[in-house]
Amino acid sequence: MIKKKNNKDLSKLNTFGMKVRAACYLEYDNPSDLASMPWDELAKPLLQIGSGSNLLFCSDFPGTVMRSRIDLFELLQDRSVGDDVYIRAGAGMEMDELCRICAGKGWWGLENLSGIPGTVGASAVQNVGAYGVEAGELIESVDCYDIVGRRFVTFSAADCAFAYRDSFFKHNKGRYIVVSVVFHLYRDFRPRLDYAHLQEEVERNAELIMADTDPYSPLLTGQGVRQPITPLLVRQTVMIIREKKLPAVGKVGSAGSFFKNPVVSAEQFESVCAIAAAKEAPCNRTDGKQNAVASDSTDGGQATEEKGVPCNRADGKQNAVACDSTNGGQATEGKGVPCTRAEGEQTPEAGKVPHYTLDNGEIKIPAAWLIDSCGLKGARFGGASLWHSQPLVIVNSSGNALPSDIIALENHIIDTVQATYGITLSPEVEHI
Ligand code: EPU
């Protein structure tokens, strides 16, 4: 069934909570609705959304916003033999619901992707990833409706050209609408625990989590009998980690990671290490001011001795520099933000730049680290700010942030990281 509404308020349809409207909005819950859709009559452009969890609406949308409510879930019996499990999930199903069902059934594959906001359809377009697993690794094929050819088509995983937060679909927006996705999962023990401290955390939780706790809010009672490592235990662990680091979806407006982790050459990486080592010299001033930042976007690269933020950190590092360069003369909240790093939280170490070396020798650097080491933690603009425990996430902290607040903060971050490290961050969030 197709439901249509004109002049639709989109504030509950984007997780950033931007108060914008669409000229036309429609929902459909059956693949056949796509075949019968009056395509020529719909206000253009068309925009397909999932849960609106990776979008920044910069203004009202003049065309038609479409949302899939196709939430089918099907075990492909004939192909699911031995270790192999094949499932087909509707594009409109919440990705986390799929992860919950599959982990609950003991099928390996999707558990590391637990807690990611968004729908199954978006997971294929965006190739979502977390804790060492990307959706594309588990996708067997993607069923789509081709708006141009007016027919259903199926793409194999190879056709989808999955790459880091990228796919064939991202480059063919407006033509293909994801209808459903076939995932290849496994029955045999196959945990993927190679990401950072995931293994340790899973082992720890194996001691602590009671077998019968609610996977949505696991109780760390400490009274459980050691649990075997199961997809559900990995799911619970991932959700606990996410809860500590990321803003609660539905409570704080955000779109998850705002930037992609940049990939640089070995040469550029060396330069980042050298800048980081020079920049992160311990705070050794006696005048109550912080050390100069080697290169800062607000002063054309000169040292910024007069920022006026007293050096009050116990960890020998400099304070964060407040967001003050991109406001075009407007008032900036949070200027002079004190150091807010909680005890035990990761701190950027002098010269120790976290990184992952890719197969082709290029190096991926966490954008969170680059942002943090530029002293941007706590930066804010109007109603938007950087999340305290994961500075890769911009949040609508006031609940009333305007798209322009978020864009101003985004530009400030890009400019500061560029001026400091010579790296241009690219947004992961799609600007509409
Ligand atoms: N870091 C800091 N300061 C901080 C926080 C982190 O320097 O305050 C550094 C640390 O060195 C840390 C590193 O950043 O080791 C990486 O942090 P994290 O493990 O949280 O991962 P990420 O690279 O920042 C990516 C995804 C997340 C996903 C996590 C976990 C991207 C753009 N983001 O973040 O995805 O949850 O890995 O796998 O790849 C999302 O896409 O919306 C998202 C949240």
Short mmCIF file of all heavy atoms in Angstrom, two decimals, residues 53-54 112 116-117 126 128-133 164-165 195-196 242 245-246 255-261 341 345-348 353-356 364-370 372-373 377 387-393 428, ligand 1:
data_model
loop_
_atom_site.label_atom_id
_atom_site.label_comp_id
_atom_site.label_asym_id
_atom_site.label_seq_id
_atom_site.Cartn_x
_atom_site.Cartn_y
_atom_site.Cartn_z
N SER A 53 19.17 8.25 9.18
CA SER A 53 20.22 8.28 10.20
C SER A 53 21.58 8.64 9.64
O SER A 53 22.56 8.64 10.38
CB SER A 53 20.28 6.93 10.92
OG SER A 53 20.49 5.91 9.99
N ASN A 54 21.65 8.90 8.36
CA ASN A 54 22.95 9.30 7.81
C ASN A 54 22.79 10.52 6.90
O ASN A 54 23.54 10.69 5.94
CB ASN A 54 23.56 8.12 7.04
CG ASN A 54 25.05 8.28 6.86
OD1 ASN A 54 25.77 8.58 7.80
ND2 ASN A 54 25.53 8.13 5.63
N ASN A 112 28.41 -8.02 14.93
CA ASN A 112 29.27 -6.84 15.14
C ASN A 112 28.59 -5.55 14.67
O ASN A 112 29.01 -4.47 15.02
CB ASN A 112 30.60 -6.98 14.39
CG ASN A 112 31.48 -8.08 14.95
OD1 ASN A 112 30.97 -9.12 15.36
ND2 ASN A 112 32.78 -7.88 14.96
N ILE A 116 23.66 -0.35 15.09
CA ILE A 116 23.81 0.70 14.07
C ILE A 116 22.42 1.18 13.68
O ILE A 116 21.57 0.38 13.31
CB ILE A 116 24.54 0.16 12.82
CG1 ILE A 116 25.96 -0.25 13.17
CG2 ILE A 116 24.54 1.21 11.70
CD1 ILE A 116 26.79 -0.71 11.99
N PRO A 117 22.17 2.48 13.80
CA PRO A 117 20.86 2.95 13.37
C PRO A 117 20.71 2.83 11.86
O PRO A 117 21.72 2.82 11.15
CB PRO A 117 20.84 4.42 13.79
CG PRO A 117 22.18 4.74 14.34
CD PRO A 117 23.06 3.54 14.24
N GLN A 126 25.05 2.14 1.84
CA GLN A 126 26.10 2.82 2.59
C GLN A 126 27.25 1.88 2.93
O GLN A 126 28.32 2.31 3.35
CB GLN A 126 25.41 3.38 3.85
CG GLN A 126 26.27 3.83 5.00
CD GLN A 126 26.82 5.20 4.73
OE1 GLN A 126 26.67 5.74 3.64
NE2 GLN A 126 27.51 5.76 5.69
N VAL A 128 27.46 -0.13 5.56
CA VAL A 128 27.74 0.23 6.96
C VAL A 128 28.77 -0.74 7.53
O VAL A 128 28.87 -1.90 7.10
CB VAL A 128 26.47 0.22 7.86
CG1 VAL A 128 25.49 1.27 7.41
CG2 VAL A 128 25.83 -1.14 7.94
N GLY A 129 29.50 -0.25 8.48
CA GLY A 129 30.52 -1.09 9.09
C GLY A 129 30.75 -0.70 10.53
O GLY A 129 30.53 0.45 10.90
N ALA A 130 31.16 -1.66 11.32
CA ALA A 130 31.55 -1.38 12.71
C ALA A 130 32.27 -2.60 13.26
O ALA A 130 31.99 -3.73 12.85
CB ALA A 130 30.34 -1.06 13.58
N TYR A 131 33.19 -2.34 14.13
CA TYR A 131 33.93 -3.38 14.86
C TYR A 131 34.48 -4.47 13.93
O TYR A 131 34.34 -5.66 14.17
CB TYR A 131 33.05 -3.94 16.02
CG TYR A 131 32.66 -2.79 16.88
CD1 TYR A 131 31.40 -2.21 16.79
CD2 TYR A 131 33.61 -2.18 17.69
CE1 TYR A 131 31.09 -1.06 17.49
CE2 TYR A 131 33.31 -1.03 18.40
CZ TYR A 131 32.05 -0.48 18.29
OH TYR A 131 31.75 0.66 18.97
N GLY A 132 35.09 -4.00 12.85
CA GLY A 132 35.83 -4.89 11.97
C GLY A 132 35.00 -5.63 10.93
O GLY A 132 35.53 -6.49 10.22
N VAL A 133 33.72 -5.33 10.84
CA VAL A 133 32.86 -6.02 9.85
C VAL A 133 32.10 -4.98 9.02
O VAL A 133 31.65 -3.97 9.57
CB VAL A 133 31.85 -6.96 10.56
CG1 VAL A 133 30.85 -7.55 9.57
CG2 VAL A 133 32.58 -8.07 11.30
N TYR A 164 34.81 1.01 1.36
CA TYR A 164 34.60 1.66 2.65
C TYR A 164 33.48 2.71 2.56
O TYR A 164 33.65 3.70 1.85
CB TYR A 164 35.92 2.27 3.12
CG TYR A 164 35.82 3.13 4.36
CD1 TYR A 164 35.33 2.61 5.55
CD2 TYR A 164 36.26 4.44 4.36
CE1 TYR A 164 35.24 3.39 6.68
CE2 TYR A 164 36.18 5.23 5.49
CZ TYR A 164 35.66 4.69 6.65
OH TYR A 164 35.58 5.47 7.77
N ARG A 165 32.37 2.45 3.20
CA ARG A 165 31.18 3.33 3.21
C ARG A 165 30.77 3.73 1.79
O ARG A 165 30.34 4.86 1.55
CB ARG A 165 31.45 4.60 4.03
CG ARG A 165 31.70 4.36 5.49
CD ARG A 165 30.44 3.84 6.17
NE ARG A 165 30.54 3.97 7.62
CZ ARG A 165 31.16 3.10 8.41
NH1 ARG A 165 31.71 2.00 7.90
NH2 ARG A 165 31.23 3.31 9.71
N TYR A 195 38.92 -6.49 16.11
CA TYR A 195 38.91 -5.03 16.20
C TYR A 195 39.30 -4.57 17.61
O TYR A 195 38.65 -4.94 18.60
CB TYR A 195 37.51 -4.51 15.88
CG TYR A 195 37.42 -3.01 15.79
CD1 TYR A 195 37.68 -2.35 14.59
CD2 TYR A 195 37.07 -2.24 16.89
CE1 TYR A 195 37.59 -0.97 14.51
CE2 TYR A 195 36.99 -0.87 16.82
CZ TYR A 195 37.25 -0.24 15.61
OH TYR A 195 37.17 1.12 15.53
N ALA A 196 40.34 -3.75 17.67
CA ALA A 196 40.80 -3.11 18.92
C ALA A 196 40.64 -4.03 20.13
O ALA A 196 41.21 -5.10 20.18
CB ALA A 196 40.11 -1.78 19.11
N ARG A 242 29.08 0.56 22.36
CA ARG A 242 28.46 1.68 21.63
C ARG A 242 27.77 2.64 22.59
O ARG A 242 27.84 3.85 22.42
CB ARG A 242 27.44 1.16 20.60
CG ARG A 242 28.05 0.45 19.43
CD ARG A 242 26.99 0.07 18.42
NE ARG A 242 26.52 1.24 17.72
CZ ARG A 242 26.97 1.66 16.54
NH1 ARG A 242 27.90 0.96 15.91
NH2 ARG A 242 26.49 2.73 15.97
N LYS A 245 30.19 5.02 24.11
CA LYS A 245 30.88 5.98 23.24
C LYS A 245 29.98 6.87 22.42
O LYS A 245 30.35 7.98 22.06
CB LYS A 245 31.78 5.21 22.25
CG LYS A 245 32.96 4.56 22.89
CD LYS A 245 33.78 3.85 21.86
CE LYS A 245 34.91 4.70 21.38
NZ LYS A 245 35.86 3.98 20.55
N LEU A 246 28.80 6.37 22.07
CA LEU A 246 27.99 7.09 21.09
C LEU A 246 26.72 7.66 21.72
O LEU A 246 26.19 7.07 22.67
CB LEU A 246 27.63 6.15 19.92
CG LEU A 246 28.82 5.66 19.12
CD1 LEU A 246 28.43 4.50 18.22
CD2 LEU A 246 29.40 6.78 18.28
N ALA A 255 23.93 11.93 13.51
CA ALA A 255 23.88 11.01 12.37
C ALA A 255 25.08 10.07 12.44
O ALA A 255 25.68 9.72 11.43
CB ALA A 255 23.86 11.79 11.06
N GLY A 256 25.45 9.67 13.65
CA GLY A 256 26.60 8.77 13.83
C GLY A 256 27.87 9.47 13.39
O GLY A 256 27.97 10.71 13.48
N SER A 257 28.81 8.70 12.89
CA SER A 257 30.08 9.30 12.43
C SER A 257 29.78 10.35 11.38
O SER A 257 29.12 10.05 10.38
CB SER A 257 30.98 8.25 11.77
OG SER A 257 31.31 7.25 12.68
N PHE A 258 30.26 11.55 11.60
CA PHE A 258 29.98 12.61 10.62
C PHE A 258 30.98 12.57 9.48
O PHE A 258 30.67 12.91 8.34
CB PHE A 258 30.02 13.98 11.32
CG PHE A 258 29.35 15.05 10.51
CD1 PHE A 258 28.02 15.38 10.73
CD2 PHE A 258 30.03 15.71 9.49
CE1 PHE A 258 27.38 16.35 9.96
CE2 PHE A 258 29.40 16.68 8.72
CZ PHE A 258 28.07 16.99 8.94
N PHE A 259 32.23 12.14 9.81
CA PHE A 259 33.29 12.11 8.80
C PHE A 259 33.75 10.68 8.55
O PHE A 259 33.63 9.82 9.42
CB PHE A 259 34.50 12.94 9.28
CG PHE A 259 34.18 14.39 9.50
CD1 PHE A 259 33.93 14.88 10.78
CD2 PHE A 259 34.10 15.27 8.44
CE1 PHE A 259 33.62 16.22 10.99
CE2 PHE A 259 33.79 16.60 8.63
CZ PHE A 259 33.55 17.09 9.90
N LYS A 260 34.32 10.47 7.37
CA LYS A 260 34.95 9.18 7.08
C LYS A 260 36.37 9.21 7.66
O LYS A 260 36.96 10.29 7.79
CB LYS A 260 35.07 8.96 5.59
CG LYS A 260 33.77 8.69 4.91
CD LYS A 260 34.03 8.29 3.47
CE LYS A 260 32.84 8.57 2.61
NZ LYS A 260 33.07 8.44 1.21
N ASN A 261 36.91 8.05 7.95
CA ASN A 261 38.31 7.98 8.37
C ASN A 261 39.17 8.15 7.12
O ASN A 261 39.03 7.37 6.17
CB ASN A 261 38.59 6.64 9.04
CG ASN A 261 37.93 6.52 10.39
OD1 ASN A 261 37.73 7.52 11.08
ND2 ASN A 261 37.56 5.31 10.78
N ARG A 341 38.01 15.80 29.04
CA ARG A 341 38.28 14.37 28.87
C ARG A 341 38.11 13.64 30.20
O ARG A 341 38.72 13.99 31.20
CB ARG A 341 39.72 14.20 28.37
CG ARG A 341 40.01 12.80 27.93
CD ARG A 341 41.29 12.75 27.14
NE ARG A 341 41.10 13.17 25.79
CZ ARG A 341 41.79 14.12 25.22
NH1 ARG A 341 42.72 14.75 25.86
NH2 ARG A 341 41.56 14.44 23.97
N GLU A 345 39.54 7.87 29.57
CA GLU A 345 39.20 8.03 28.17
C GLU A 345 40.47 8.07 27.34
O GLU A 345 41.50 8.54 27.82
CB GLU A 345 38.46 9.35 28.01
CG GLU A 345 37.16 9.22 27.28
CD GLU A 345 36.53 10.57 27.13
OE1 GLU A 345 36.13 11.16 28.14
OE2 GLU A 345 36.50 11.04 26.00
N GLN A 346 40.34 7.69 26.04
CA GLN A 346 41.53 7.70 25.20
C GLN A 346 42.05 9.12 25.04
O GLN A 346 41.28 10.04 24.83
CB GLN A 346 41.18 7.19 23.81
CG GLN A 346 40.82 5.73 23.79
CD GLN A 346 39.90 5.45 22.63
OE1 GLN A 346 38.97 6.21 22.34
NE2 GLN A 346 40.15 4.34 21.96
N THR A 347 43.35 9.29 25.11
CA THR A 347 43.94 10.60 24.85
C THR A 347 44.90 10.45 23.68
O THR A 347 45.55 9.41 23.54
CB THR A 347 44.76 11.10 26.05
OG1 THR A 347 45.66 10.07 26.43
CG2 THR A 347 43.87 11.46 27.21
N PRO A 348 45.02 11.46 22.84
CA PRO A 348 45.99 11.35 21.76
C PRO A 348 47.40 11.35 22.35
O PRO A 348 47.74 12.22 23.13
CB PRO A 348 45.75 12.61 20.93
CG PRO A 348 44.53 13.25 21.48
CD PRO A 348 44.35 12.75 22.87
N VAL A 353 50.31 7.93 16.50
CA VAL A 353 49.09 8.17 15.74
C VAL A 353 48.42 6.82 15.47
O VAL A 353 49.01 5.97 14.81
CB VAL A 353 49.42 8.89 14.41
CG1 VAL A 353 48.15 9.14 13.63
CG2 VAL A 353 50.16 10.18 14.68
N PRO A 354 47.23 6.59 16.00
CA PRO A 354 46.59 5.30 15.73
C PRO A 354 46.33 5.16 14.23
O PRO A 354 46.03 6.15 13.57
CB PRO A 354 45.28 5.37 16.51
CG PRO A 354 45.05 6.81 16.81
CD PRO A 354 46.38 7.51 16.77
N HIS A 355 46.46 3.99 13.73
CA HIS A 355 46.27 3.82 12.28
C HIS A 355 46.09 2.35 11.94
O HIS A 355 46.41 1.48 12.74
CB HIS A 355 47.49 4.37 11.52
CG HIS A 355 48.76 3.66 11.87
ND1 HIS A 355 49.47 3.91 13.01
CD2 HIS A 355 49.45 2.68 11.21
CE1 HIS A 355 50.53 3.13 13.05
NE2 HIS A 355 50.54 2.37 11.98
N TYR A 356 45.54 2.12 10.75
CA TYR A 356 45.39 0.75 10.24
C TYR A 356 46.01 0.75 8.85
O TYR A 356 45.67 1.59 8.02
CB TYR A 356 43.91 0.37 10.12
CG TYR A 356 43.07 0.81 11.29
CD1 TYR A 356 42.38 2.03 11.26
CD2 TYR A 356 42.99 0.03 12.45
CE1 TYR A 356 41.63 2.46 12.36
CE2 TYR A 356 42.26 0.46 13.54
CZ TYR A 356 41.59 1.67 13.49
OH TYR A 356 40.86 2.09 14.57
N LYS A 364 44.95 4.15 6.98
CA LYS A 364 43.70 4.78 7.43
C LYS A 364 43.92 5.33 8.84
O LYS A 364 44.40 4.61 9.72
CB LYS A 364 42.58 3.73 7.43
CG LYS A 364 41.21 4.34 7.55
CD LYS A 364 40.16 3.28 7.81
CE LYS A 364 39.46 2.80 6.57
NZ LYS A 364 38.35 1.89 6.86
N ILE A 365 43.62 6.61 9.00
CA ILE A 365 43.80 7.25 10.32
C ILE A 365 42.42 7.56 10.87
O ILE A 365 41.57 8.11 10.16
CB ILE A 365 44.60 8.57 10.19
CG1 ILE A 365 45.90 8.34 9.43
CG2 ILE A 365 44.88 9.17 11.55
CD1 ILE A 365 46.72 9.60 9.20
N PRO A 366 42.16 7.24 12.16
CA PRO A 366 40.83 7.59 12.69
C PRO A 366 40.61 9.09 12.69
O PRO A 366 41.41 9.85 13.26
CB PRO A 366 40.85 7.05 14.12
CG PRO A 366 42.06 6.22 14.26
CD PRO A 366 43.01 6.59 13.16
N ALA A 367 39.55 9.53 12.04
CA ALA A 367 39.23 10.96 12.01
C ALA A 367 39.01 11.46 13.43
O ALA A 367 39.33 12.61 13.76
CB ALA A 367 37.99 11.19 11.16
N ALA A 368 38.49 10.59 14.30
CA ALA A 368 38.24 10.99 15.70
C ALA A 368 39.55 11.44 16.34
O ALA A 368 39.60 12.40 17.10
CB ALA A 368 37.65 9.83 16.49
N TRP A 369 40.61 10.73 16.04
CA TRP A 369 41.91 11.08 16.62
C TRP A 369 42.41 12.42 16.06
O TRP A 369 42.90 13.27 16.82
CB TRP A 369 42.94 9.97 16.34
CG TRP A 369 44.24 10.30 16.98
CD1 TRP A 369 44.65 9.98 18.24
CD2 TRP A 369 45.30 11.08 16.41
NE1 TRP A 369 45.88 10.52 18.49
CE2 TRP A 369 46.30 11.20 17.38
CE3 TRP A 369 45.49 11.70 15.18
CZ2 TRP A 369 47.48 11.90 17.16
CZ3 TRP A 369 46.66 12.40 14.95
CH2 TRP A 369 47.65 12.49 15.93
N LEU A 370 42.29 12.61 14.76
CA LEU A 370 42.75 13.87 14.16
C LEU A 370 41.99 15.05 14.78
O LEU A 370 42.58 16.07 15.15
CB LEU A 370 42.51 13.86 12.64
CG LEU A 370 43.37 12.89 11.83
CD1 LEU A 370 42.84 12.77 10.41
CD2 LEU A 370 44.83 13.35 11.80
N ASP A 372 40.35 15.13 17.66
CA ASP A 372 40.68 15.24 19.09
C ASP A 372 42.03 15.92 19.27
O ASP A 372 42.20 16.82 20.09
CB ASP A 372 40.68 13.82 19.68
CG ASP A 372 40.63 13.81 21.19
OD1 ASP A 372 40.64 14.90 21.79
OD2 ASP A 372 40.57 12.72 21.77
N SER A 373 43.00 15.50 18.47
CA SER A 373 44.35 16.03 18.66
C SER A 373 44.45 17.49 18.21
O SER A 373 45.39 18.18 18.57
CB SER A 373 45.39 15.14 17.97
OG SER A 373 45.78 15.67 16.77
N LYS A 377 37.70 18.71 20.70
CA LYS A 377 36.68 18.08 21.55
C LYS A 377 35.95 19.17 22.33
O LYS A 377 36.59 20.03 22.92
CB LYS A 377 37.36 17.13 22.52
CG LYS A 377 36.67 15.84 22.67
CD LYS A 377 37.46 14.89 23.52
CE LYS A 377 37.03 13.48 23.23
NZ LYS A 377 37.78 12.52 24.00
N TRP A 387 30.39 15.38 20.08
CA TRP A 387 30.05 14.48 21.19
C TRP A 387 31.29 14.25 22.05
O TRP A 387 32.38 14.01 21.53
CB TRP A 387 29.51 13.15 20.63
CG TRP A 387 28.99 12.23 21.68
CD1 TRP A 387 29.45 10.99 22.00
CD2 TRP A 387 27.85 12.46 22.53
NE1 TRP A 387 28.70 10.45 22.99
CE2 TRP A 387 27.70 11.32 23.34
CE3 TRP A 387 26.95 13.53 22.68
CZ2 TRP A 387 26.70 11.21 24.31
CZ3 TRP A 387 25.95 13.42 23.64
CH2 TRP A 387 25.83 12.28 24.43
N HIS A 388 31.11 14.29 23.38
CA HIS A 388 32.26 14.28 24.29
C HIS A 388 33.10 13.02 24.23
O HIS A 388 34.31 13.07 24.35
CB HIS A 388 31.80 14.55 25.73
CG HIS A 388 30.67 13.65 26.15
ND1 HIS A 388 30.87 12.37 26.56
CD2 HIS A 388 29.33 13.86 26.18
CE1 HIS A 388 29.69 11.82 26.85
NE2 HIS A 388 28.74 12.71 26.62
N SER A 389 32.49 11.85 24.01
CA SER A 389 33.31 10.64 24.04
C SER A 389 33.62 10.09 22.64
O SER A 389 34.29 9.07 22.53
CB SER A 389 32.66 9.57 24.91
OG SER A 389 31.32 9.41 24.54
N GLN A 390 33.12 10.75 21.60
CA GLN A 390 33.47 10.32 20.24
C GLN A 390 33.38 11.56 19.34
O GLN A 390 32.32 11.87 18.80
CB GLN A 390 32.55 9.18 19.79
CG GLN A 390 32.66 8.74 18.34
CD GLN A 390 34.08 8.52 17.83
OE1 GLN A 390 34.84 9.47 17.72
NE2 GLN A 390 34.42 7.29 17.49
N PRO A 391 34.53 12.26 19.21
CA PRO A 391 34.47 13.54 18.49
C PRO A 391 34.26 13.42 16.98
O PRO A 391 34.30 14.41 16.27
CB PRO A 391 35.82 14.18 18.82
CG PRO A 391 36.71 13.07 19.20
CD PRO A 391 35.86 11.96 19.73
N LEU A 392 34.00 12.20 16.53
CA LEU A 392 33.66 12.00 15.13
C LEU A 392 32.16 12.28 14.92
O LEU A 392 31.68 12.36 13.79
CB LEU A 392 33.98 10.55 14.76
CG LEU A 392 33.97 10.12 13.32
CD1 LEU A 392 34.80 11.05 12.47
CD2 LEU A 392 34.49 8.70 13.20
N VAL A 393 31.46 12.42 16.03
CA VAL A 393 30.01 12.56 15.97
C VAL A 393 29.60 14.00 16.31
O VAL A 393 29.92 14.50 17.38
CB VAL A 393 29.34 11.57 16.96
CG1 VAL A 393 27.83 11.74 16.96
CG2 VAL A 393 29.71 10.14 16.62
N GLU A 428 30.90 11.76 5.99
CA GLU A 428 30.25 10.49 5.70
C GLU A 428 28.76 10.75 5.54
O GLU A 428 28.07 10.10 4.77
CB GLU A 428 30.50 9.53 6.86
CG GLU A 428 30.09 8.11 6.55
CD GLU A 428 29.70 7.34 7.78
OE1 GLU A 428 30.55 7.15 8.66
OE2 GLU A 428 28.54 6.92 7.83
N1 EPU B 1 39.76 8.44 19.27
C1 EPU B 1 40.35 9.56 19.81
N2 EPU B 1 39.61 10.31 20.67
C2 EPU B 1 38.35 9.96 21.03
C3 EPU B 1 37.74 8.81 20.47
C4 EPU B 1 38.48 8.06 19.60
O1 EPU B 1 41.50 9.89 19.53
O2 EPU B 1 37.75 10.68 21.82
C5 EPU B 1 40.55 7.62 18.33
C6 EPU B 1 41.19 6.49 19.07
O3 EPU B 1 42.50 6.37 18.62
C7 EPU B 1 40.39 5.30 18.66
C8 EPU B 1 40.06 5.68 17.24
O4 EPU B 1 39.77 7.08 17.32
O5 EPU B 1 41.14 4.16 18.77
C9 EPU B 1 38.93 4.95 16.62
O6 EPU B 1 37.73 5.12 17.38
P1 EPU B 1 36.55 4.05 17.23
O7 EPU B 1 37.03 2.71 17.55
O8 EPU B 1 35.37 4.57 17.98
O9 EPU B 1 36.23 4.02 15.69
P2 EPU B 1 36.08 5.14 14.57
O10 EPU B 1 37.08 4.86 13.53
O11 EPU B 1 36.11 6.49 15.17
C10 EPU B 1 34.42 3.71 13.14
C11 EPU B 1 33.11 3.92 12.44
C12 EPU B 1 31.95 3.87 13.44
C13 EPU B 1 32.00 2.53 14.14
C14 EPU B 1 33.36 2.39 14.84
C15 EPU B 1 33.54 1.07 15.51
C16 EPU B 1 33.67 5.33 10.54
C17 EPU B 1 33.56 6.67 9.92
N3 EPU B 1 33.13 5.20 11.76
O12 EPU B 1 34.61 4.84 14.01
O13 EPU B 1 30.75 3.95 12.69
O14 EPU B 1 30.95 2.41 15.07
O15 EPU B 1 34.41 2.51 13.85
O16 EPU B 1 33.80 0.11 14.55
O17 EPU B 1 34.24 4.43 9.94
C18 EPU B 1 28.99 5.33 11.93
O18 EPU B 1 29.34 5.05 10.78
O19 EPU B 1 28.01 6.11 12.14
C19 EPU B 1 29.75 4.82 13.05
C20 EPU B 1 29.48 5.15 14.31
#
